[in-house]
Amino acid sequence: MQIDDVDRRLLRFFQSQPGASAAELAALVGLPKATCWRRLERLEAAGVIAGVEAIIDWRALGFAVEVALRITLDKTERNAFDTFLAAAREVPEVTEIQTFLGRVDVRLNVLARDMAHYQEIYRSRILNLPHILDIEQLMLISDVKTDEALPV
């Protein structure tokens, strides 16, 4: 799909104001409302716009601890990745799962209310996940940059 300068301008405004209506975006971009709506539809149909999501501040809900777990799996076990990933998806406090090539195979992001809650999650859920060879725990101290907007 070809993206022109108008699409880029539209995407910049859409990223910064995802709740804006097509009419509001059209005014910002300098397009007629119908043209703006058609461009948004085209970008969505092409998969450029994958969706719009609500971002909830987990700290405001009482979750004060975030830990990234870097996990190395025992790859001598058949289907270790698939079995591990299926089990990790079932842990409600795991908010993100990423797989990697290299020494670390998987990264889990875990949220907890406090250190006691994290310790309970770690001991009762994480350590019971299958095929773990090694775990490195990285506790989040601060978010320096969390912007997911692309420089389009």
Side-chain angles (χ1 to χ4, degrees):
M1 173 180 183
Q2 292 285 26
I3 305 287
D4 63 16
D5 288 339
V6 175
D7 289 330
R8 284 184 183 83
R9 198 166 60 244
L10 179 58
L11 288 169
R12 276 193 299 275
F13 283 114
F14 186 68
Q15 284 184 125
S16 67
Q17 300 176 43
S21 68
E24 292 167 328
L25 288 171
L28 291 168
V29 176
L31 290 174
K33 178 182 169 185
T35 303
C36 182
W37 183 82
R38 280 194 302 275
R39 282 182 178 259
L40 286 170
E41 288 290 311
R42 183 175 53 85
L43 291 165
E44 191 173 333
V48 174
I49 297 174
V52 180
E53 62 184 13
I55 299 171
I56 298 169
D57 183 354
W58 48 268
R59 289 176 186 97
L61 295 176
F63 289 84
V65 174
E66 181 176 2
V67 179
L69 300 175
R70 291 193 221 175
I71 298 173
T72 303
L73 299 175
D74 180 1
K75 293 175 279 297
T76 62
E77 295 289 328
R78 185 175 174 89
N79 298 323
F81 266 92
D82 295 336
T83 306
F84 175 86
L85 292 174
R89 281 186 189 102
E90 298 301 316
V91 179
E93 294 85 2
V94 171
T95 60
E96 188 174 14
I97 302 173
Q98 295 175 321
T99 60
F100 297 93
L101 292 174
R103 190 184 68 76
V104 172
D105 297 311
V106 180
R107 188 186 74 80
L108 303 180
N109 198 61
V110 179
L111 296 179
R113 290 184 301 277
D114 52 34
M115 285 305 294
H117 183 223
Y118 173 72
Q119 186 176 19
E120 185 262 313
I121 294 165
Y122 185 75
R123 288 182 176 175
S124 67
R125 295 190 185 101
I126 302 301
L127 290 179
N128 287 320
L129 293 172
H131 309 298
I132 295 175
L133 190 63
D134 186 44
I135 299 178
E136 180 183 6
Q137 301 176 70
L138 302 169
M139 180 170 291
L140 178 72
I141 300 300
S142 67
D143 287 321
V144 177
K145 182 177 179 179
T146 59
D147 189 6
E148 293 185 25
L150 290 174
V152 290

